[in-house]
Amino acid sequence: KNEVEQSPQNLTAQEGEFITINCSYSVGISALHWLQQHPGGGIVSLFMLSSGKKKHGRLIATINIQEKHSSLHITASHPRDSAVYICAVLSGGSNYKLTFGKGTLLTVNP
Amino acid sequence: DAGVIQSPRHEVTEMGQEVTLRCKPISGHDYLFWYRQTMMRGLELLIYFNNNVPIDDSGMPEDRFSAKMPNASFSTLKIQPSEPRDSAVYFCASSWAGSTDTQYFGPGTRLTVL
């Protein structure tokens, strides 16, 4: 079973700060997802990656397969970035079953 | 496209009652997932379908839970009889290519069993 650990659990930042959220997993994977859950409860998929780096606007996701680690970065953070960020992994031998981290609650103050 | 549609958005019921949650995936998506989210356990996959066929239901907690997908545009998750520990938010998601592709989530159904 793949264990997915996220850190920190809670993060408070000031508007404009650079944010990093980390995700570590215990066994080999074929893909990793980053999800955003808004305060109202809706879930949006931000990235799906299996190697390297992806960028979308102010969001950057990286993954190091050898170290079993991924990071989500937010540049020039804004209060609207306040949400729970969830990491999910697809294990190499899995038939499409994602294992989720517990999430990181990000609060960006103006 | 309207996105993934779930109904009802909120459901409050009493222990022992039957509960049916509904989901309409995005048109053209071949995969449909049912997830449950609780404070204690986070998000968990309950079951997923490929082309209307249930592929993996190992996450379904017990026989009280059942799911069907009679056609490509509709799925149900039923709990009978419901128990207070079933209280959670239930999400439906769909995608073109399973978990190796972006999943699109519905708004969720918040279930409270009294």
Side-chain angles (χ1 to χ4, degrees):
Chain A
K1 182 181 178 224
N2 211 345
E3 301 293 334
V4 181
E5 297 289 334
Q6 286 187 236
S7 63
Q9 284 188 305
N10 295 280
L11 181 57
T12 300
Q14 289 299 121
E15 183 173 357
E17 287 185 2
F18 181 83
I19 304 293
T20 296
I21 298 171
N22 298 297
C23 175
S24 297
Y25 48 91
S26 56
V27 300
I29 65 169
S30 57
L32 182 144
H33 295 251
W34 281 103
L35 310 171
Q36 180 192 54
Q37 186 165 26
H38 300 292
I43 298 175
V44 175
S45 179
L46 298 175
F47 295 103
M48 194 281 292
L49 65 165
S50 54
S51 64
K53 180 169 81 172
K54 286 190 175 180
K55 184 176 189 291
H56 181 69
R58 294 180 295 106
L59 301 178
I60 303 167
T62 64
I63 188 168
N64 185 317
I65 296 296
Q66 287 74 29
E67 295 186 3
K68 296 186 175 60
H69 181 267
S70 175
S71 292
L72 177 67
H73 305 286
I74 305 174
T75 61
S77 59
H78 189 276
R80 66 174 174 265
D81 297 325
S82 298
V84 175
Y85 292 84
I86 301 169
C87 170
V89 301
L90 181 65
S91 299
S94 169
N95 53 347
Y96 301 104
K97 186 168 185 174
L98 288 174
T99 302
F100 295 86
K102 291 292 178 64
T104 294
L105 174 61
L106 172 65
T107 303
V108 182
N109 295 317
Chain B
D1 200 315
V4 176
I5 299 172
Q6 289 188 248
S7 65
R9 295 292 306 276
H10 302 273
E11 177 80 31
V12 179
T13 191
E14 293 188 345
M15 182 174 64
Q17 296 298 305
E18 178 179 296
V19 175
T20 299
L21 311 181
R22 297 173 176 81
C23 175
K24 176 178 167 53
I26 292 173
S27 178
H29 282 189
D30 293 331
Y31 289 83
L32 183 140
F33 303 82
W34 280 102
Y35 294 100
R36 179 172 67 176
Q37 185 179 40
T38 62
M39 289 293 292
M40 288 291 293
R41 300 172 67 91
L43 272 165
E44 300 174 289
L45 176 67
L46 298 177
I47 185 171
Y48 81 91
F49 295 82
N50 179 20
N51 292 322
N52 313 337
V53 177
I55 302 301
D56 185 346
D57 65 354
S58 59
M60 297 284 262
E62 45 196 276
D63 292 345
R64 297 183 298 106
F65 285 69
S66 63
K68 293 182 180 179
M69 193 166 185
N71 56 63
S73 59
F74 183 66
S75 177
T76 59
L77 178 67
K78 185 176 294 186
I79 309 173
Q80 166 64 22
S82 58
E83 297 183 3
R85 59 192 167 124
D86 302 331
S87 297
V89 181
Y90 292 81
F91 289 97
C92 174
S94 69
S95 73
W96 279 287
S99 296
T100 58
D101 192 7
T102 299
Q103 293 189 22
Y104 296 83
F105 285 76
T109 295
R110 182 173 296 276
L111 173 65
T112 302
V113 183
L114 303 174

